[in-house]
Amino acid sequence: MSQGFFDEMTNGATDPRAIYSGVADWLRAAPPEILDARREQAELLFRKIGITFAVYGDKEAAERLIPFDIIPRLLGADEWARLEAGLIQRVKALNMFLTDIYGRQEVLKAGIIPPDLVFRNECYRPEMQGHRAPHDIWTHIAGIDIVRVDDEDFYVLEDNCRTPSGVSYMLENREMMMRLLPGLFAGHAVLPVDNYPDNLLASLRSAAPPHCADDPRIVILTPGQFNSAYYEHSFLADKLGVELVEGRDLTVRDDIVYMKTTEGEKRVDVIYRRVDDDFIDPLVFRPDSVLGAAGLMGAYLAGNVTLANAPGAGVADDKAVYTYMPDIIRFYLGEEPKLKNVATWRCREQDALKYVLEHLSELVVKEVNGSGGYGMLVGPHASKEQIETFRQKLLSDPDGFIAQPTLSLSTCPTSFQGGVAPRHVDLRPFVLSGADGVRIVPGGLTRVALKEGSLVVNSSQGGGTKDTWVLATNAK
Amino acid sequence: MRARVTLQIEVAFSEPVRSANTLLRLTPRSFDSLHVLDWFVGVEPVATLRRSEDGYGNLSHSCSHAGPLERIVLTAEGQVETQDAAGVAHGLHEKQPLDLFLRHCHDGPGAEIVDFAKTINGADRLSRLHQLMGALNETIAFAPTDSAPRAAAEVFAEGKGCAREIAQIFVTAARAQNIPARFVSGLLLDGAEGAAFHGWAEAHVENIGWVAFDAALGFCPRDAHLRLAHGVDYWAAAPWRQAFSGYAEPTVETRLKVTAARQASWQTQQ
């Protein structure tokens, strides 16, 4: 079943990789009933705690559980060290790129990126031009999606610079594993992730406006309980010990943001906003939005409040800009990228387009501005007609598409009713940038495609999650 | 022409509101064919007006009011001298590259406007733009109003719109032809039309620069168009935007008074 794929437990051999020997022993020894029982307990616990996510447009499942798999995914200290260094490098470059794009635009002058990719992108915010984000931090919280295809390299699948979610699952999954499988957990030297809220708080504090000498007041701005990630917003507010606010709780007067409380108005210094750019200020962006606060952008541009992440940061996580990330890293840092990019053909380039059209049945073709798996052609799984339609689309608008090889994502053992089988996984570590440097907790959210053979790990498409254990011991 | 302009926007709330925030782009910026002699922006009840320059180079003011608040009066007045440059807008403070003005709105241009744009096929860019302006002037009926404009595709389908809506269609159609175009908001100094606020478009032509096109009236702005602000779309260039908290219906009354001052000396010596 796992042929042709890198299985993180076995790597194709009969004996497990050293790092997985504990898990393999446990899987061999544990009777199937135990696995079944633990799985049911996990679901019960998740339901009790109420960790749910909403699926838009699905009345039946307004609040759904993301399936949790009880077999952990393991990474060695050496593997993590490589990954961490690469993440720090990548996020530094992303922040420098954003500072530059909204500033002197050296990267465009040097011809590293075609300017139209930046300026025609809807996520480029002209309102931010000429403005410097406090401490030059634009993406305070970044989620970098990572996949593996062998036991050496890590590939970046996607950068998420706007409002990446999923960190609550990373933390809850760990709690769950410690409760359900304390023996297995104790048998491994797992590095902790529970200091993530402290790190987040420290990063947000450091990003406060410079005038704010004493204790900055931090709030989390949520679109409200109907947002799919509302659970996470309230979870983080609770863990951080800060207020969870909605747009109507904030008021802006003379470029200063206040939060309405029972004790009167309190000045706000840092807003960790989980509301998209378009909705944060009806005076500047969408006029019909009630999710933000009128005047917020004015306060931000006046330097009286920090928005995390900064408005306009989305221009860096565009699919077309992604293809230039290795060059961006070299340009700003003068270093070779430590994490690989998935090879990408930009159909805007003549040679690439020719190649893509010749190999449509092998490639994944994505719309540059699409997301969530829409407007995508998966060559090996597509019918002749679908390929033909895409050929026409490509010919009429080559600029709008990129193509990538179908990646053989690594697999991890996953527990089912009928036993254990390998399933494809990815990893989203959360990278925090503050004025005092970059912080990452060892781990992240491992998403697993529960359908056999499926490469789609999105939770809306039947994906589940796993706990990610970064061990104190090396993989090799 | 030289003119003294007084613009008043009076917002009356049906119930007193708790607070209001207002953003104004009511200050024209001088360029080659516009000389602002003096200009004043005020607000009642009195509040601090903070002046800044937005991402496009427009001059903006913002203010906040604490309630209870029954009405707000915004005033802009001053004296300007305009010159007929056949629509060419030279000497503007440009902060954004042309590529930005090729961007389509979130929902895209709409198939109907794209098809319409395809029917325009003049020899060069300038003649195509003139053709586009003429075609829009013929197909879309001009119905002046001061209410907020609707989406370009919707107005195009209906075949009737205010000047700002027609300008949006012009911008969308020009971009569909890969011509950088932007929205301009302003005032009409000859006061011929029924709405205080007017809108038109500017498109970029090689070797000339930004050229203004008023598809609602069917000609390139001469010296009776007072330019206030520009942006990718109407909302980015809107002369004023306001949000308030409270349960009230706002009634907006806009008054524009233009008195022609003496003719500029360079105009009389023809």
Side-chain angles (χ1 to χ4, degrees):
Chain A
M1 188 182 293
S2 63
Q3 294 227 320
F5 298 110
F6 165 55
D7 186 81
E8 296 190 11
M9 182 161 91
T10 62
N11 199 9
T14 38
D15 287 330
R17 291 166 71 214
I19 184 174
Y20 266 94
S21 60
V23 172
D25 288 345
W26 169 70
L27 282 174
R28 257 197 303 275
E33 304 87 71
I34 289 286
L35 288 181
D36 289 346
R38 291 287 177 268
R39 234 185 13 256
E40 279 160 26
Q41 285 164 352
E43 190 177 329
L44 189 69
L45 282 170
F46 269 107
R47 233 174 246 292
K48 270 191 181 161
I49 304 171
I51 314 173
T52 57
F53 78 107
V55 181
Y56 297 127
D58 189 349
K59 273 188 191 151
E60 299 274 303
E63 288 207 342
R64 201 190 269 186
L65 284 182
I66 295 188
F68 171 69
D69 182 61
I70 53 168
I71 304 175
R73 188 241 190 120
L74 271 53
L75 287 171
D78 48 346
E79 293 175 316
W80 177 255
R82 270 186 285 135
L83 181 56
E84 189 182 33
L87 290 170
I88 293 174
Q89 180 193 48
R90 191 146 181 126
V91 167
K92 268 189 186 164
L94 284 168
N95 276 313
M96 290 173 86
F97 172 69
L98 285 162
T99 304
D100 189 28
I101 285 297
Y102 290 106
R104 302 165 59 99
Q105 301 179 344
E106 301 284 2
V107 72
L108 303 178
K109 288 173 196 154
I112 309 285
I113 298 186
D116 59 317
L117 274 190
V118 173
F119 298 118
R120 289 197 209 178
N121 186 330
E122 268 195 63
C123 295
Y124 167 76
R125 301 287 173 189
E127 293 78 8
M128 294 294 292
Q129 191 56 54
H131 180 77
R132 281 182 80 163
H135 314 284
D136 288 339
I137 307 288
W138 292 74
T139 176
H140 305 77
I141 301 105
I144 312 289
D145 291 350
I146 300 284
V147 294
R148 308 185 72 177
V149 295
D150 54 36
D151 60 355
E152 274 301 321
D153 291 322
F154 293 96
Y155 285 83
V156 177
L157 200 57
E158 200 173 279
D159 304 293
N160 294 282
C161 298
R162 281 170 266 188
T163 51
S165 61
V167 78
S168 57
Y169 292 97
M170 172 182 91
L171 297 168
E172 292 286 14
N173 288 354
R174 176 60 53 84
E175 293 264 319
M176 201 61 64
M177 289 303 281
M178 290 165 74
R179 281 170 86 161
L180 292 174
L181 299 164
L184 185 65
F185 187 81
H188 291 81
V190 184
L191 297 178
V193 293
D194 57 3
N195 52 340
Y196 177 82
D198 297 338
N199 283 350
L200 177 57
L201 194 61
S203 286
L204 292 174
R205 266 175 207 275
S206 76
H211 69 80
C212 180
D214 55 346
D215 205 14
R217 178 172 282 107
I218 298 168
V219 298
I220 297 181
L221 176 63
T222 172
Q225 55 170 322
F226 297 109
N227 184 269
S228 62
Y230 182 69
Y231 171 78
E232 179 158 306
H233 307 160
S234 66
F235 173 90
L236 284 174
D238 184 41
K239 293 280 177 193
L240 263 61
V242 303
E243 297 296 332
L244 179 68
V245 300
E246 292 183 28
R248 57 171 183 254
D249 301 322
L250 296 178
T251 179
V252 183
R253 208 168 48 247
D254 291 321
D255 285 348
I256 311 264
V257 185
Y258 300 92
M259 166 176 69
K260 298 172 197 159
T261 75
T262 49
E263 293 161 355
E265 292 179 342
K266 306 268 187 203
R267 183 171 174 164
V268 173
D269 303 297
V270 180
I271 302 177
Y272 175 19
R273 48 101 182 198
R274 298 291 295 255
V275 175
D276 289 342
D277 283 0
D278 266 340
F279 297 95
I280 53 171
D281 185 350
L283 289 189
V284 177
F285 302 115
R286 280 183 62 153
D288 53 349
S289 170
V290 290
L291 301 177
L296 195 53
M297 276 300 284
Y300 178 72
L301 292 172
N304 292 333
V305 69
T306 295
L307 291 174
N309 296 347
V315 71
D317 67 14
D318 175 71
K319 284 198 188 68
V321 171
Y322 161 87
T323 65
Y324 291 91
M325 273 312 288
D327 298 325
I328 290 175
I329 292 171
R330 285 183 205 110
F331 181 73
Y332 291 112
L333 300 170
E335 300 169 0
E336 276 306 303
K338 295 180 172 137
L339 299 178
K340 293 197 170 177
N341 246 33
V342 179
T344 307
W345 289 272
R346 305 171 192 131
C347 302
R348 56 179 20 243
E349 291 163 11
Q350 274 300 319
D351 296 348
L353 179 65
K354 189 161 169 276
Y355 179 88
V356 170
L357 288 173
E358 280 165 10
H359 297 81
L360 271 181
S361 59
E362 300 155 29
L363 300 172
V364 178
V365 186
K366 295 178 183 171
E367 242 174 83
V368 171
N369 296 321
S371 72
Y374 299 103
M376 200 167 119
L377 174 83
V378 184
H381 296 252
S383 67
K384 278 219 167 86
E385 294 85 68
Q386 282 172 318
I387 290 183
E388 236 4 82
T389 342
F390 247 81
R391 187 184 303 279
Q392 294 312 320
K393 274 197 195 175
L394 266 173
L395 284 170
S396 68
D397 179 25
D399 286 15
F401 295 90
I402 56 161
Q404 293 175 335
T406 343
L407 273 191
S408 1
L409 300 194
S410 62
T411 56
C412 274
T414 303
S415 152
F416 292 96
Q417 195 67 44
V420 173
R423 288 291 182 267
H424 295 291
V425 291
D426 80 346
L427 175 68
R428 175 181 287 183
F430 295 89
V431 188
L432 302 171
S433 305
D436 50 355
V438 180
R439 297 177 172 89
I440 314 176
V441 295
L445 177 67
T446 291
R447 296 187 296 180
V448 49
L450 294 177
K451 278 189 213 132
E452 190 176 342
S454 169
L455 293 166
V456 186
V457 294
N458 292 35
S459 43
S460 51
Q461 318 250 352
T465 68
K466 276 171 170 294
D467 193 13
T468 315
W469 290 4
V470 176
L471 303 185
T473 51
N474 286 348
K476 283 183 182 167
Chain B
M1 66 191 275
R2 184 184 272 219
R4 172 154 285 281
V5 180
T6 310
L7 175 73
Q8 267 200 341
I9 304 163
E10 183 171 345
V11 187
F13 299 105
S14 57
E15 299 286 328
V17 297
R18 289 195 296 277
S19 65
N21 283 291
T22 314
L23 182 72
L24 304 171
R25 287 189 201 87
L26 294 175
T27 310
R29 220 175 164 151
S30 293
F31 62 103
D32 284 7
S33 47
L34 169 67
H35 183 46
V36 182
L37 297 161
D38 62 76
W39 200 261
F40 159 87
V41 175
V43 60
E44 267 180 278
V46 172
T48 312
L49 276 170
R50 290 173 307 277
R51 179 179 155 124
S52 56
E53 184 188 280
D54 72 10
Y56 298 94
N58 303 314
L59 295 177
S60 67
H61 289 86
S62 63
C63 62
S64 317
H65 284 95
L69 192 69
E70 285 174 1
R71 66 179 58 236
I72 298 179
V73 182
L74 310 162
T75 309
E77 70 183 321
Q79 209 174 157
V80 294
E81 194 166 305
T82 57
Q83 191 182 338
D84 181 0
V88 177
H90 272 171
L92 279 163
H93 178 53
E94 300 288 351
K95 286 174 87 172
Q96 297 291 344
L98 291 184
D99 269 307
L100 178 70
F101 302 106
L102 283 164
R103 178 198 277 195
H104 280 296
C105 67
H106 188 67
D107 304 320
E112 288 188 10
I113 296 184
V114 172
D115 288 344
F116 169 76
K118 278 186 193 150
T119 63
I120 308 295
N121 45 16
D124 55 24
R125 189 176 273 192
L126 191 59
S127 58
R128 284 211 303 280
L129 289 164
H130 276 285
Q131 211 182 326
L132 175 63
M133 176 170 70
L136 277 178
N137 185 249
E138 271 174 35
T139 37
I140 314 287
F142 176 32
T145 165
D146 270 330
S147 58
R150 299 160 290 166
E154 188 187 332
V155 180
F156 188 76
E158 201 194 304
K160 190 175 138 191
C162 68
R164 287 167 295 161
E165 291 172 329
I166 297 172
Q168 293 261 50
I169 300 176
F170 183 95
V171 168
T172 311
R175 287 181 193 168
Q177 284 245 11
N178 216 26
I179 303 173
R182 62 193 186 189
F183 185 93
V184 180
S185 61
L187 305 168
L188 277 183
L189 298 180
D190 52 9
E193 306 306 329
F197 289 116
H198 196 65
W200 58 94
E202 278 175 1
H204 196 266
V205 182
E206 301 94 338
N207 303 325
I208 301 180
W210 289 102
V211 184
F213 293 89
D214 186 338
L217 298 179
F219 57 81
C220 287
R222 291 191 282 266
D223 58 353
H225 283 61
L226 174 59
R227 192 185 193 283
L228 287 177
H230 72 265
V232 273
D233 57 11
Y234 165 73
W235 292 108
W240 69 291
R241 289 174 74 166
Q242 188 172 65
F244 61 87
S245 72
Y247 300 95
E249 269 307 310
T251 321
V252 182
E253 199 191 318
T254 313
R255 292 181 288 267
L256 173 64
K257 195 173 136 216
V258 182
T259 39
R262 72 176 166 78
Q263 286 277 300
S265 52
W266 45 261
Q267 261 195 335
T268 52
Q269 296 168 5
Q270 281 180 344

